[in-house]
Amino acid sequence: MLNVSKIREDFPILKRLINGKPLVYLDNAATTQKPQAVIDALVDYYSNHNANIHRGIHTLAEEATAMYEKARERVAKFIGAKGAQEIIFVRNATEAINLVAYSWGRAFLKKGDEIILSESEHHSNLIPWQLVAKEKGVNLRFIPINAEGYLDLKEYKRLLSTKTKLVSIVHISNVLGTINPVAKIGKMAHEVGALFLIDGAQSVPRMPIKVEDLECDFLAVSAHKMLGPTGIGFLYGKKHLLEEMPPFMGGGDMIREVYLDHSLWNGLPYKFEAGTPNIADTIGLGAAVDYLEKLGMENIFKHEKMLTEYALSRLSELSYPSTPLGAGLRIYGPKTTENKTGVISFSIKGIHPHDVAQILDKEGIAIRSGFHCAMPLHQKLKIPATCRASFYIYNTKDEIDKLMEGILKAKKIFKI
Ligand code: 7TS
Protein backbone atom coordinates (compact mmCIF):
# COMPACT_ATOMS: atom_id res chain seq x y z
CA MET A 1 0.00 0.00 0.00
CA LEU A 2 0.99 3.66 -0.27
CA ASN A 3 3.01 5.45 2.38
CA VAL A 4 0.60 8.40 2.47
CA SER A 5 2.38 10.49 5.12
CA LYS A 6 5.57 10.33 3.04
CA ILE A 7 3.63 11.15 -0.15
CA ARG A 8 2.01 14.17 1.53
CA GLU A 9 5.46 15.66 2.19
CA ASP A 10 6.01 15.83 -1.58
CA PHE A 11 3.03 18.20 -2.08
CA PRO A 12 3.82 21.76 -0.92
CA ILE A 13 0.19 22.89 -1.22
CA LEU A 14 -0.94 20.38 1.41
CA LYS A 15 0.84 22.52 4.03
CA ARG A 16 -1.54 25.40 3.31
CA LEU A 17 -4.18 26.54 5.73
CA ILE A 18 -7.56 27.43 4.24
CA ASN A 19 -9.66 29.68 6.48
CA GLY A 20 -7.25 28.83 9.29
CA LYS A 21 -7.74 25.04 8.86
CA PRO A 22 -5.45 22.48 7.22
CA LEU A 23 -6.45 21.95 3.59
CA VAL A 24 -8.50 18.81 2.98
CA TYR A 25 -8.41 18.55 -0.80
CA LEU A 26 -11.25 16.37 -2.10
CA ASP A 27 -11.67 17.89 -5.58
CA ASN A 28 -9.27 15.60 -7.39
CA ALA A 29 -11.63 14.72 -10.23
CA ALA A 30 -11.45 18.40 -11.24
CA THR A 31 -7.66 18.53 -10.97
CA THR A 32 -4.99 17.00 -8.75
CA GLN A 33 -2.31 18.80 -6.78
CA LYS A 34 1.31 18.75 -8.01
CA PRO A 35 4.29 17.12 -6.30
CA GLN A 36 7.58 18.98 -5.92
CA ALA A 37 9.12 16.69 -8.58
CA VAL A 38 6.72 18.08 -11.22
CA ILE A 39 7.20 21.69 -10.06
CA ASP A 40 11.00 21.14 -10.13
CA ALA A 41 10.84 19.71 -13.67
CA LEU A 42 9.18 22.93 -14.88
CA VAL A 43 11.67 25.16 -13.05
CA ASP A 44 14.61 23.10 -14.31
CA TYR A 45 13.39 23.24 -17.90
CA TYR A 46 12.93 27.03 -17.89
CA SER A 47 16.10 27.64 -15.82
CA ASN A 48 18.46 25.37 -17.74
CA HIS A 49 17.14 24.03 -21.05
CA ASN A 50 14.57 26.40 -22.58
CA ALA A 51 14.59 26.43 -26.40
CA ASN A 52 12.22 25.66 -29.24
CA ILE A 53 12.20 22.04 -30.36
CA HIS A 54 12.56 20.07 -33.62
CA ARG A 55 14.36 22.91 -35.38
CA GLY A 56 17.55 24.36 -33.82
CA ILE A 57 20.79 22.41 -33.84
CA HIS A 58 22.30 24.30 -30.90
CA THR A 59 22.79 22.56 -27.56
CA LEU A 60 19.72 23.93 -25.83
CA ALA A 61 17.46 23.08 -28.78
CA GLU A 62 18.78 19.53 -28.79
CA GLU A 63 18.36 19.17 -25.02
CA ALA A 64 14.79 20.52 -25.10
CA THR A 65 13.89 18.24 -28.02
CA ALA A 66 15.32 15.20 -26.25
CA MET A 67 13.44 16.02 -23.02
CA TYR A 68 10.16 16.52 -24.90
CA GLU A 69 10.51 13.28 -26.84
CA LYS A 70 11.58 11.39 -23.70
CA ALA A 71 8.25 12.45 -22.12
CA ARG A 72 6.43 10.98 -25.13
CA GLU A 73 8.26 7.67 -24.66
CA ARG A 74 7.39 7.61 -20.94
CA VAL A 75 3.72 8.22 -21.70
CA ALA A 76 3.70 5.52 -24.40
CA LYS A 77 5.19 2.98 -22.00
CA PHE A 78 2.83 4.05 -19.18
CA ILE A 79 -0.29 3.11 -21.17
CA GLY A 80 1.28 0.20 -23.08
CA ALA A 81 1.23 1.81 -26.54
CA LYS A 82 3.20 -0.01 -29.23
CA GLY A 83 5.35 3.07 -29.84
CA ALA A 84 5.82 6.78 -29.12
CA GLN A 85 4.37 7.61 -32.57
CA GLU A 86 0.96 6.65 -31.20
CA ILE A 87 1.04 9.49 -28.63
CA ILE A 88 -0.12 12.93 -29.83
CA PHE A 89 0.36 15.78 -27.36
CA VAL A 90 -2.64 18.09 -27.07
CA ARG A 91 -3.91 20.56 -24.46
CA ASN A 92 -6.21 18.17 -22.59
CA ALA A 93 -8.69 15.30 -22.92
CA THR A 94 -11.18 17.71 -24.47
CA GLU A 95 -8.79 18.55 -27.30
CA ALA A 96 -7.90 14.87 -27.75
CA ILE A 97 -11.58 14.02 -28.38
CA ASN A 98 -12.03 17.07 -30.62
CA LEU A 99 -9.00 15.96 -32.65
CA VAL A 100 -10.68 12.62 -33.40
CA ALA A 101 -14.06 14.25 -34.06
CA TYR A 102 -12.68 16.85 -36.48
CA SER A 103 -9.97 14.82 -38.18
CA TRP A 104 -11.37 11.27 -38.31
CA GLY A 105 -15.05 12.34 -38.12
CA ARG A 106 -14.92 14.86 -40.96
CA ALA A 107 -12.88 12.56 -43.19
CA PHE A 108 -14.70 9.27 -42.70
CA LEU A 109 -18.27 9.80 -41.45
CA LYS A 110 -21.14 9.86 -43.93
CA LYS A 111 -24.81 10.80 -43.75
CA GLY A 112 -26.81 8.15 -41.91
CA ASP A 113 -23.83 6.77 -39.95
CA GLU A 114 -24.23 6.36 -36.21
CA ILE A 115 -22.07 7.14 -33.17
CA ILE A 116 -22.86 5.54 -29.82
CA LEU A 117 -22.17 7.48 -26.62
CA SER A 118 -23.67 7.05 -23.14
CA GLU A 119 -25.92 9.14 -20.93
CA SER A 120 -23.10 9.57 -18.44
CA GLU A 121 -20.58 11.39 -20.64
CA HIS A 122 -18.71 14.52 -19.65
CA HIS A 123 -19.63 17.34 -22.05
CA SER A 124 -16.23 16.96 -23.69
CA ASN A 125 -17.29 13.53 -24.98
CA LEU A 126 -20.66 14.81 -26.17
CA ILE A 127 -20.40 18.28 -27.70
CA PRO A 128 -17.64 17.44 -30.26
CA TRP A 129 -19.87 14.61 -31.55
CA GLN A 130 -22.94 16.84 -31.62
CA LEU A 131 -20.97 19.31 -33.75
CA VAL A 132 -19.66 16.69 -36.18
CA ALA A 133 -23.04 14.92 -36.29
CA LYS A 134 -24.75 18.13 -37.35
CA GLU A 135 -22.17 18.83 -40.03
CA LYS A 136 -22.14 15.30 -41.48
CA GLY A 137 -25.76 14.19 -40.98
CA VAL A 138 -24.71 11.51 -38.48
CA ASN A 139 -27.07 10.21 -35.78
CA LEU A 140 -26.04 9.99 -32.13
CA ARG A 141 -27.32 7.09 -30.02
CA PHE A 142 -27.01 6.82 -26.25
CA ILE A 143 -26.53 3.85 -23.94
CA PRO A 144 -28.85 4.51 -20.98
CA ILE A 145 -27.71 4.16 -17.38
CA ASN A 146 -29.81 2.18 -14.95
CA ALA A 147 -30.84 3.17 -11.42
CA GLU A 148 -27.53 1.94 -9.93
CA GLY A 149 -25.50 4.04 -12.36
CA TYR A 150 -24.38 1.18 -14.62
CA LEU A 151 -24.57 1.24 -18.40
CA ASP A 152 -27.39 -0.89 -19.78
CA LEU A 153 -25.36 -3.29 -21.93
CA LYS A 154 -28.46 -5.06 -23.28
CA GLU A 155 -29.60 -1.77 -24.75
CA TYR A 156 -26.06 -1.17 -26.05
CA LYS A 157 -26.22 -4.49 -27.89
CA ARG A 158 -29.54 -3.47 -29.40
CA LEU A 159 -28.13 -0.11 -30.55
CA LEU A 160 -25.11 -1.64 -32.30
CA SER A 161 -25.41 -2.22 -36.04
CA THR A 162 -23.39 -1.96 -39.23
CA LYS A 163 -24.38 1.74 -39.21
CA THR A 164 -22.32 2.22 -36.02
CA LYS A 165 -18.99 3.77 -36.96
CA LEU A 166 -17.72 4.80 -33.52
CA VAL A 167 -18.44 4.04 -29.88
CA SER A 168 -17.04 6.65 -27.47
CA ILE A 169 -17.42 6.00 -23.75
CA VAL A 170 -16.11 7.30 -20.45
CA HIS A 171 -14.01 4.73 -18.55
CA ILE A 172 -14.67 6.10 -15.04
CA SER A 173 -17.60 8.48 -14.64
CA ASN A 174 -16.53 11.84 -13.18
CA VAL A 175 -19.89 12.03 -11.37
CA LEU A 176 -20.74 8.50 -10.25
CA GLY A 177 -17.26 6.97 -10.11
CA THR A 178 -18.62 3.97 -12.03
CA ILE A 179 -15.91 1.91 -13.72
CA ASN A 180 -17.42 0.97 -17.06
CA PRO A 181 -16.56 -2.44 -18.60
CA VAL A 182 -14.67 -0.85 -21.49
CA ALA A 183 -12.94 -3.98 -22.77
CA LYS A 184 -16.33 -5.65 -23.26
CA ILE A 185 -17.83 -2.50 -24.80
CA GLY A 186 -14.85 -2.21 -27.15
CA LYS A 187 -15.05 -5.85 -28.20
CA MET A 188 -18.74 -5.46 -29.04
CA ALA A 189 -17.98 -2.28 -31.05
CA HIS A 190 -15.27 -4.08 -33.01
CA GLU A 191 -17.64 -6.96 -33.80
CA VAL A 192 -19.77 -4.59 -35.91
CA GLY A 193 -16.69 -2.91 -37.42
CA ALA A 194 -16.91 0.28 -35.34
CA LEU A 195 -13.96 2.08 -33.74
CA PHE A 196 -13.78 2.51 -29.99
CA LEU A 197 -12.68 5.65 -28.13
CA ILE A 198 -12.17 5.66 -24.37
CA ASP A 199 -12.40 8.87 -22.38
CA GLY A 200 -9.63 8.04 -19.90
CA ALA A 201 -9.60 11.43 -18.14
CA GLN A 202 -10.55 9.85 -14.79
CA SER A 203 -9.23 6.29 -15.24
CA VAL A 204 -5.65 6.78 -16.43
CA PRO A 205 -4.81 8.72 -13.21
CA ARG A 206 -6.21 6.05 -10.90
CA MET A 207 -5.81 2.57 -12.34
CA PRO A 208 -3.31 0.54 -14.37
CA ILE A 209 -4.12 0.96 -18.07
CA LYS A 210 -2.77 -1.05 -20.94
CA VAL A 211 -4.47 0.02 -24.15
CA GLU A 212 -4.25 -3.39 -25.75
CA ASP A 213 -6.19 -5.03 -22.91
CA LEU A 214 -8.98 -2.45 -23.32
CA GLU A 215 -9.70 -2.99 -27.05
CA CYS A 216 -9.41 0.75 -27.60
CA ASP A 217 -8.53 2.53 -30.81
CA PHE A 218 -8.27 5.97 -29.20
CA LEU A 219 -7.71 7.09 -25.60
CA ALA A 220 -8.09 10.69 -24.39
CA VAL A 221 -6.21 11.89 -21.29
CA SER A 222 -5.46 15.15 -19.38
CA ALA A 223 -2.17 15.51 -17.49
CA HIS A 224 -3.56 17.83 -14.82
CA LYS A 225 -5.74 15.05 -13.34
CA MET A 226 -2.66 12.84 -12.84
CA LEU A 227 -0.27 15.20 -11.00
CA GLY A 228 0.88 16.91 -14.21
CA PRO A 229 0.56 20.54 -15.26
CA THR A 230 -2.52 22.09 -16.84
CA GLY A 231 -2.49 22.78 -20.58
CA ILE A 232 -1.12 19.39 -21.58
CA GLY A 233 -2.75 16.05 -22.34
CA PHE A 234 -2.50 13.37 -24.94
CA LEU A 235 -4.38 11.33 -27.47
CA TYR A 236 -3.37 7.71 -27.94
CA GLY A 237 -4.38 6.37 -31.33
CA LYS A 238 -3.55 3.16 -33.17
CA LYS A 239 -0.82 3.94 -35.67
CA HIS A 240 -2.65 2.77 -38.80
CA LEU A 241 -5.69 4.91 -37.86
CA LEU A 242 -3.63 8.03 -37.15
CA GLU A 243 -1.81 7.51 -40.44
CA GLU A 244 -5.08 7.51 -42.39
CA MET A 245 -6.40 10.62 -40.64
CA PRO A 246 -5.87 14.12 -42.09
CA PRO A 247 -4.22 16.84 -39.95
CA PHE A 248 -6.34 18.54 -37.31
CA MET A 249 -4.58 21.92 -37.54
CA GLY A 250 -2.13 23.34 -40.05
CA GLY A 251 1.10 25.25 -39.41
CA GLY A 252 4.77 24.75 -38.60
CA ASP A 253 6.25 21.34 -37.75
CA MET A 254 3.31 19.31 -39.11
CA ILE A 255 4.59 19.48 -42.71
CA ARG A 256 7.25 17.68 -44.74
CA GLU A 257 7.22 19.88 -47.87
CA VAL A 258 5.34 23.11 -48.48
CA TYR A 259 4.55 24.78 -51.79
CA LEU A 260 2.35 27.78 -52.38
CA ASP A 261 -0.52 25.66 -53.62
CA HIS A 262 -0.16 22.41 -51.67
CA SER A 263 1.85 20.66 -48.96
CA LEU A 264 2.93 17.20 -47.84
CA TRP A 265 2.38 16.22 -44.23
CA ASN A 266 4.98 15.21 -41.69
CA GLY A 267 4.94 11.67 -40.28
CA LEU A 268 3.46 10.64 -36.95
CA PRO A 269 3.12 12.04 -34.37
CA TYR A 270 4.16 15.46 -35.74
CA LYS A 271 1.39 15.59 -38.35
CA PHE A 272 -0.96 16.40 -35.46
CA GLU A 273 1.28 18.80 -33.52
CA ALA A 274 1.17 22.07 -35.48
CA GLY A 275 3.13 25.01 -34.10
CA THR A 276 5.39 25.28 -31.06
CA PRO A 277 3.99 22.81 -28.56
CA ASN A 278 3.67 23.11 -24.78
CA ILE A 279 7.25 21.94 -24.20
CA ALA A 280 7.64 22.69 -20.48
CA ASP A 281 4.36 21.14 -19.43
CA THR A 282 4.99 18.04 -21.53
CA ILE A 283 8.25 17.58 -19.62
CA GLY A 284 6.23 18.14 -16.41
CA LEU A 285 3.86 15.38 -17.52
CA GLY A 286 6.87 13.08 -17.97
CA ALA A 287 7.89 13.81 -14.36
CA ALA A 288 4.31 13.08 -13.19
CA VAL A 289 4.36 9.71 -14.98
CA ASP A 290 7.67 8.88 -13.27
CA TYR A 291 6.18 9.76 -9.88
CA LEU A 292 3.07 7.62 -10.46
CA GLU A 293 5.11 4.69 -11.73
CA LYS A 294 7.31 4.78 -8.63
CA LEU A 295 4.20 4.49 -6.46
CA GLY A 296 2.73 1.79 -8.72
CA MET A 297 -0.67 2.15 -10.37
CA GLU A 298 -1.92 -1.03 -8.73
CA ASN A 299 -1.15 0.47 -5.29
CA ILE A 300 -2.87 3.73 -6.25
CA PHE A 301 -5.95 1.82 -7.36
CA LYS A 302 -6.06 -0.13 -4.06
CA HIS A 303 -5.58 3.02 -1.99
CA GLU A 304 -8.45 4.84 -3.70
CA LYS A 305 -10.73 1.81 -3.45
CA MET A 306 -10.03 1.67 0.27
CA LEU A 307 -10.83 5.40 0.66
CA THR A 308 -13.96 5.14 -1.49
CA GLU A 309 -15.19 2.15 0.51
CA TYR A 310 -14.58 3.99 3.78
CA ALA A 311 -16.30 7.16 2.51
CA LEU A 312 -19.31 5.15 1.24
CA SER A 313 -19.69 3.48 4.62
CA ARG A 314 -19.29 6.75 6.56
CA LEU A 315 -21.64 8.72 4.29
CA SER A 316 -24.26 5.96 4.44
CA GLU A 317 -24.52 6.73 8.18
CA LEU A 318 -26.40 9.81 6.97
CA SER A 319 -28.32 8.12 4.19
CA TYR A 320 -31.94 7.72 3.30
CA PRO A 321 -34.40 6.79 4.59
CA SER A 322 -33.62 7.30 8.24
CA THR A 323 -30.47 6.51 10.17
CA PRO A 324 -29.23 7.25 13.72
CA LEU A 325 -27.49 10.46 12.61
CA GLY A 326 -30.55 11.66 10.74
CA ALA A 327 -31.90 11.23 7.24
CA GLY A 328 -31.15 13.30 4.22
CA LEU A 329 -27.99 12.23 2.42
CA ARG A 330 -28.31 10.45 -0.88
CA ILE A 331 -25.42 8.87 -2.76
CA TYR A 332 -25.70 8.60 -6.55
CA GLY A 333 -24.37 5.71 -8.58
CA PRO A 334 -23.03 2.38 -7.28
CA LYS A 335 -23.12 1.98 -3.48
CA THR A 336 -20.19 -0.46 -3.38
CA THR A 337 -16.66 -0.33 -4.75
CA GLU A 338 -17.05 -3.43 -6.87
CA ASN A 339 -17.23 -1.22 -9.97
CA LYS A 340 -16.67 2.22 -8.53
CA THR A 341 -13.66 4.19 -7.39
CA GLY A 342 -12.35 7.61 -6.53
CA VAL A 343 -15.49 9.70 -6.93
CA ILE A 344 -18.67 10.00 -4.83
CA SER A 345 -21.52 12.37 -5.65
CA PHE A 346 -24.23 13.01 -3.11
CA SER A 347 -26.98 15.42 -2.13
CA ILE A 348 -28.41 16.45 1.22
CA LYS A 349 -32.13 16.99 1.40
CA GLY A 350 -32.91 20.64 2.06
CA ILE A 351 -29.42 22.07 1.45
CA HIS A 352 -28.23 23.23 -1.95
CA PRO A 353 -24.90 21.62 -2.96
CA HIS A 354 -23.29 25.09 -3.29
CA ASP A 355 -24.21 25.82 0.34
CA VAL A 356 -22.71 22.49 1.43
CA ALA A 357 -19.51 23.29 -0.49
CA GLN A 358 -19.33 26.77 1.04
CA ILE A 359 -19.75 25.52 4.59
CA LEU A 360 -17.14 22.82 3.98
CA ASP A 361 -14.76 25.44 2.55
CA LYS A 362 -14.96 27.33 5.87
CA GLU A 363 -13.56 24.12 7.40
CA GLY A 364 -10.74 23.98 4.84
CA ILE A 365 -12.43 21.16 2.91
CA ALA A 366 -12.52 21.46 -0.91
CA ILE A 367 -15.25 19.53 -2.71
CA ARG A 368 -17.04 20.36 -5.96
CA SER A 369 -20.69 21.26 -6.29
CA GLY A 370 -22.72 21.66 -9.47
CA PHE A 371 -23.40 19.45 -12.45
CA HIS A 372 -19.72 18.62 -13.06
CA CYS A 373 -19.92 19.19 -16.85
CA ALA A 374 -22.40 16.31 -17.11
CA MET A 375 -25.76 18.03 -17.46
CA PRO A 376 -27.58 15.17 -19.25
CA LEU A 377 -26.56 12.79 -16.48
CA HIS A 378 -28.00 15.15 -13.86
CA GLN A 379 -31.18 15.44 -15.96
CA LYS A 380 -31.40 11.65 -15.85
CA LEU A 381 -30.85 11.69 -12.07
CA LYS A 382 -33.59 14.36 -11.90
CA ILE A 383 -31.44 16.68 -9.83
CA PRO A 384 -29.90 19.99 -10.95
CA ALA A 385 -26.69 19.63 -8.95
CA THR A 386 -24.78 17.36 -6.58
CA CYS A 387 -21.90 17.59 -4.10
CA ARG A 388 -18.85 15.62 -5.19
CA ALA A 389 -15.91 14.34 -3.15
CA SER A 390 -13.07 12.81 -5.15
CA PHE A 391 -9.90 11.25 -3.80
CA TYR A 392 -6.29 10.78 -4.76
CA ILE A 393 -2.99 9.37 -3.54
CA TYR A 394 -2.50 11.89 -0.69
CA ASN A 395 -5.95 11.58 0.90
CA THR A 396 -6.54 9.81 4.22
CA LYS A 397 -9.40 8.25 6.18
CA ASP A 398 -8.93 11.06 8.68
CA GLU A 399 -9.84 13.56 5.94
CA ILE A 400 -13.03 11.62 5.19
CA ASP A 401 -13.91 11.87 8.90
CA LYS A 402 -13.42 15.64 8.57
CA LEU A 403 -15.77 15.63 5.58
CA MET A 404 -18.37 13.88 7.73
CA GLU A 405 -17.94 16.43 10.53
CA GLY A 406 -18.33 19.23 7.97
CA ILE A 407 -21.54 17.72 6.60
CA LEU A 408 -22.94 17.38 10.12
CA LYS A 409 -22.10 21.04 10.70
CA ALA A 410 -23.98 21.99 7.51
CA LYS A 411 -27.00 19.98 8.67
CA LYS A 412 -26.87 21.81 12.01
CA ILE A 413 -26.62 25.26 10.37
CA PHE A 414 -29.60 24.44 8.14
CA LYS A 415 -31.42 22.81 11.06
CA ILE A 416 -31.91 19.55 9.17
N1 7TS B 1 -13.73 13.49 -19.38
C1 7TS B 1 -13.95 13.29 -18.07
C2 7TS B 1 -14.48 12.00 -17.61
C3 7TS B 1 -13.65 14.32 -17.17
O1 7TS B 1 -13.87 14.11 -15.87
C4 7TS B 1 -13.15 15.53 -17.66
C5 7TS B 1 -12.88 16.70 -16.75
C6 7TS B 1 -12.91 15.66 -19.02
C7 7TS B 1 -13.21 14.62 -19.86
C8 7TS B 1 -12.32 16.89 -19.62
O2 7TS B 1 -11.04 17.13 -19.14
P1 7TS B 1 -10.30 18.47 -19.52
O3 7TS B 1 -8.99 18.38 -18.81
O4 7TS B 1 -10.16 18.46 -21.00
O5 7TS B 1 -11.16 19.59 -19.05
N2 7TS B 1 -13.65 16.70 -15.59
C9 7TS B 1 -13.76 17.70 -14.69
C10 7TS B 1 -14.54 17.54 -13.54
O6 7TS B 1 -15.15 16.52 -13.25
N3 7TS B 1 -14.46 18.69 -12.83
O7 7TS B 1 -13.69 19.55 -13.49
C11 7TS B 1 -13.25 18.95 -14.65
Side-chain angles (χ1 to χ4, degrees), residues 17 58 163 201:
L17 297 180
H58 56 80
K163 284 191 204 159

Side-chain angles (χ1 to χ4, degrees), residues 20-40:
K21 310 270 171 64
L23 167 65
V24 173
Y25 188 76
L26 301 178
D27 193 17
N28 293 286
T31 198
T32 61
Q33 297 303 344
K34 317 304 171 200
Q36 193 62 50
V38 169
I39 300 167
D40 286 348

Side-chain angles (χ1 to χ4, degrees), residues 1-9 303 306 392-396:
M1 288 300 264
L2 302 182
N3 183 346
V4 177
S5 49
K6 189 159 173 291
I7 289 171
R8 290 180 70 85
E9 283 169 21
H303 175 72
M306 180 275 289
Y392 211 44
I393 54 176
Y394 33 68
N395 290 126
T396 64

Side-chain angles (χ1 to χ4, degrees), residues 116-395:
I116 298 182
L117 310 171
S118 86
E119 287 179 341
S120 62
E121 299 309 314
H122 186 279
H123 295 164
S124 63
N125 193 27
L126 173 60
I127 316 294
W129 305 117
Q130 286 180 350
L131 290 169
V132 88
K134 193 161 180 213
E135 188 180 317
K136 305 289 293 189
V138 165
N139 298 313
L140 302 182
R141 303 274 179 250
F142 296 92
I143 309 175
I145 54 159
N146 63 24
E148 287 84 46
Y150 294 118
L151 298 181
D152 180 343
L153 293 188
K154 272 204 192 116
E155 185 58 18
Y156 171 48
K157 195 166 178 200
R158 210 186 58 75
L159 291 173
L160 280 167
S161 75
T162 50
K163 284 191 204 159
T164 314
K165 295 295 176 262
L166 176 82
V167 177
S168 188
I169 299 291
V170 67
H171 192 174
I172 296 183
S173 161
N174 69 316
V175 179
L176 305 176
T178 318
I179 308 172
N180 289 319
V182 283
K184 188 169 176 184
I185 293 169
K187 190 160 181 284
M188 288 163 75
H190 288 153
E191 278 164 11
V192 298
L195 296 182
F196 182 46
L197 186 154
I198 297 178
D199 173 355
Q202 296 296 344
S203 61
V204 173
R206 43 178 56 82
M207 64 193 287
I209 298 283
K210 293 291 166 231
V211 282
E212 246 172 72
D213 299 342
L214 299 184
E215 296 255 349
C216 77
D217 298 300
F218 299 108
L219 174 75
V221 183
S222 283
H224 70 92
K225 294 185 198 288
M226 49 186 278
L227 308 179
T230 50
I232 186 70
F234 64 91
L235 171 73
Y236 156 81
K238 278 189 184 149
K239 191 175 165 206
H240 73 98
L241 294 172
L242 294 173
E243 273 171 347
E244 286 167 7
M245 285 159 51
F248 173 41
M249 285 192 268
D253 225 25
M254 50 74 71
I255 43 73
R256 180 157 289 142
E257 290 173 38
V258 177
Y259 305 92
L260 285 179
D261 58 351
H262 75 285
S263 301
L264 301 178
W265 311 138
N266 205 342
L268 289 178
Y270 312 112
K271 180 173 75 174
F272 293 107
E273 293 181 8
T276 301
N278 187 347
I279 306 163
D281 293 322
T282 306
I283 292 164
L285 165 61
V289 167
D290 276 355
Y291 190 94
L292 292 172
E293 279 186 330
K294 268 189 210 133
L295 296 181
M297 292 311 292
E298 200 59 64
N299 295 329
I300 292 171
F301 186 60
K302 279 189 199 143
H303 175 72
E304 281 205 27
K305 274 240 171 180
M306 180 275 289
L307 288 176
T308 310
E309 208 164 289
Y310 183 69
L312 282 170
S313 96
R314 291 274 5 235
L315 290 171
S316 64
E317 291 171 31
L318 298 171
S319 286
Y320 282 131
S322 162
T323 55
L325 285 173
L329 189 141
R330 179 164 181 188
I331 295 168
Y332 296 90
K335 307 290 183 292
T336 71
T337 56
E338 200 187 330
N339 289 299
K340 176 187 184 99
T341 193
V343 182
I344 301 179
S345 289
F346 58 92
S347 62
I348 300 167
K349 207 174 173 186
I351 319 180
H352 193 279
H354 291 330
D355 291 329
V356 178
Q358 208 156 28
I359 291 167
L360 290 175
D361 183 58
K362 293 264 181 312
E363 304 300 311
I365 304 166
I367 64 157
R368 188 170 168 192
S369 56
F371 50 77
H372 321 303
C373 298
M375 232 191 238
L377 176 58
H378 281 76
Q379 286 154 3
K380 174 88 179 198
L381 298 173
K382 296 192 172 47
I383 182 164
T386 50
C387 306
R388 183 185 70 182
S390 51
F391 314 117
Y392 211 44
I393 54 176
Y394 33 68
N395 290 126

